[in-house]
Amino acid sequence: MHKQIFVNLSVKDLPRSKEFWNSLGYSFEPKFTNDQGACMIMGENLFVMLLVEEFFAGFTNKPISDARERTEVLNCLSCDSREQVDSLVAKAKAAGATIPKEPVDHGFMYGHGFHDIDGHGWELVHMVAEGESK
């Protein structure tokens, strides 16, 4: 099976996007970061390439979606706790993200999310393991 994932997202203002994600606690791999793109480290073998629109366009022959107007993808990240979910959403909001809906508690799963400054959707979930209390 696969060993890594690189999600590629277009961004309007790379320095501003990097600042947004830094404020949530994420860092960037310098070897894969320049003025056209930044490789954000989201976890072990989990990466998001933030690519300026013009550079991103070179990888596709289809129009680029404006994530502020249309949903092109929802990225979902697992979190270690409900508190981590809520903390990341709060940090994202403070950094300029929009919060599209209230948190959802299904008992076995707690989730919340945000749209980053470029409009990309991010869902955060904590799954309660069998035998674990909420």
Side-chain angles (χ1 to χ4, degrees):
M1 281 302 187
H2 309 288
K3 295 183 180 171
Q4 298 177 320
I5 187 167
F6 289 84
V7 175
N8 295 278
L9 298 175
S10 66
V11 299
K12 298 210 180 288
D13 181 335
L14 185 59
R16 186 168 174 244
S17 292
K18 286 175 62 180
E19 182 180 320
F20 172 84
W21 288 106
N22 273 323
S23 72
L24 273 69
Y26 296 99
S27 61
F28 294 87
E29 172 54 64
K31 291 187 294 190
F32 304 116
T33 299
N34 59 30
D35 60 342
Q36 296 295 305
C39 179
M40 180 170 51
I41 303 166
M42 298 207 88
E44 187 177 346
N45 298 319
L46 306 172
F47 306 96
V48 174
M49 297 299 299
L50 303 174
L51 306 175
V52 294
E53 285 183 336
E54 298 79 21
F55 185 62
F56 184 92
F59 293 98
T60 181
N61 59 1
K62 297 187 333 187
I64 299 173
S65 295
D66 182 345
R68 293 183 181 131
E69 300 292 325
R70 299 184 184 277
T71 300
E72 86 283 32
V73 66
L74 289 174
N75 302 290
C76 186
L77 300 171
S78 64
C79 292
D80 294 331
S81 66
R82 293 168 60 106
E83 294 76 22
Q84 185 184 24
V85 169
D86 292 337
S87 174
L88 283 170
V89 170
K91 287 178 184 177
K93 183 176 181 181
T98 58
I99 312 304
K101 58 186 180 180
E102 295 297 314
V104 177
D105 188 347
H106 295 288
F108 68 95
M109 180 176 71
Y110 176 77
H112 203 186
F114 61 89
H115 292 158
D116 67 24
I117 59 172
D118 287 288
H120 303 293
W122 294 89
E123 298 291 323
L124 306 168
V125 297
H126 170 65
M127 304 283 281
V128 179
E130 195 171 320
E132 178 185 358
S133 63
K134 290 198 270 183

